[in-house]
Amino acid sequence: MQFSRTKPPVPPNETGSANRNSSLEAKPLRDLVRSFIRHRSAVIGASLVVIFILCAIFAPLLTPYEFYTSTRETLDDPSAAHWFGTDDLGRDIFTRIIYGARISLWVGFVAITGSIIIGSFLGLVAGYYGKWQDSLISRLFDILLAFPGILLAIAIVAMLGPGLNNALIAIAIINIPTFGRLMRSRVLSVKQEDFVLAARAIGMKNSRILWRHILPNCWTPIMVQGTLGFATAVIEAAALGFLGLGAQPPQPEWGTMLSDSREFIQLAPWTMIFPGLAIMLTVLGFNLLGDGLRDIFDPRMKQ
């Protein structure tokens, strides 16, 4: 009696399966990039931000002058030699604006990053655990929000002393409640989802639930708010510099440049116009980028 041999089942093509999985993962990214490119205001905002970042990085290559050296041509009109003119000490204004981008972007990045880290941690704890932790942290946020932001920053810098680092600390502190309350509200919503309840039911640790399930589902609004908060940080840094509490001379901070040129607003208006335009365009770029990201990530706006 003969038995027919049956061929063993062919295992699935692991390479093809991996390629399909990678293509599925790449598809949302492609859709996100396409949505971003189609959003005109987001593209304009990102372009402005990239321009200032490139200027800050390649500042020594964009100008032959140093931001602290005098050209012996005080209050010179804008010309081919000095595109934005010179200030009362003969320093090239274009050079100081280019180098000032380094200070403003650095202050905004470090301050907002610190605010996001501290505020998100406090918001996670308050939203997930609740009880006395939520009451204590929420009252702390309420106290910080009870004061106008710039006045609280002035008070903090006045206690710590004027300087760029102290201004950075003050800006980070006054923005903590914004990210903390946003994270808390997201956690209160996400922790009621079925996948979180299932993780609790199987005995998963709270730290693992926070890190693996809740935090990844709360980052989108934090990222959007961080982009908008960057613009606010630039304005706050300029305000502290204008009051003499931020960057100290000869550092080319935009707010300090505005303060130094107040006396020459009629004689040499370009000494105030160009630093003001730098602040305006930077803030406009981050606001447009933040609004664009909000529209892209919000499914209700896609309709």
Side-chain angles (χ1 to χ4, degrees), residues 201-216:
I202 63 176
M204 187 177 291
K205 295 182 179 179
N206 290 328
S207 59
R208 188 175 179 85
I209 294 175
L210 287 171
W211 182 256
R212 293 288 301 274
H213 298 289
I214 293 182
L215 189 59

Side-chain angles (χ1 to χ4, degrees), residues 27-198:
K27 185 176 180 181
L29 181 61
R30 289 198 301 267
D31 294 340
L32 181 63
V33 173
R34 291 175 181 174
S35 300
F36 184 84
I37 294 175
R38 294 172 182 172
H39 202 290
R40 294 183 179 179
S41 61
V43 173
I44 294 174
S47 301
L48 290 173
V49 171
V50 170
I51 289 173
F52 278 99
I53 292 175
L54 293 177
C55 289
I57 295 174
F58 300 104
L61 303 177
L62 297 176
T63 175
Y65 306 105
E66 295 290 344
F67 67 85
Y68 53 83
T69 57
S70 175
T71 60
R72 298 182 181 180
E73 299 174 358
T74 60
L75 299 179
D76 191 20
D77 296 342
S79 61
H82 304 286
W83 292 356
F84 293 173
T86 60
D87 60 9
D88 58 312
L89 298 179
R91 297 171 297 189
D92 185 69
I93 294 179
F94 175 76
T95 301
R96 291 180 62 80
I97 289 177
I98 294 298
Y99 278 93
R102 290 184 170 184
I103 296 177
S104 296
L105 295 177
W106 171 252
V107 170
F109 175 78
V110 175
I112 294 303
T113 301
S115 299
I116 290 176
I117 294 174
I118 299 175
S120 297
F121 173 76
L122 295 176
L124 276 172
V125 174
Y128 185 78
Y129 292 100
K131 300 181 181 178
W132 65 269
Q133 295 95 328
D134 187 15
S135 299
L136 179 62
I137 295 174
S138 297
R139 296 298 78 75
L140 176 62
F141 290 161
D142 292 339
I143 292 173
L144 293 176
L145 291 173
F147 300 93
I150 189 62
L151 294 181
L152 181 59
I154 292 173
I156 295 173
V157 176
M159 291 187 294
L160 300 177
L164 183 61
N165 293 332
N166 294 336
L168 188 151
I169 294 173
I171 295 172
I173 291 175
I174 64 177
N175 285 284
I176 287 175
T178 301
F179 297 99
R181 296 183 73 175
L182 179 60
M183 177 61 76
R184 176 182 176 273
S185 64
R186 288 293 301 167
V187 172
L188 290 174
S189 176
V190 173
K191 77 175 185 178
Q192 303 299 329
E193 297 291 339
D194 293 338
F195 60 89
V196 176
L197 298 178

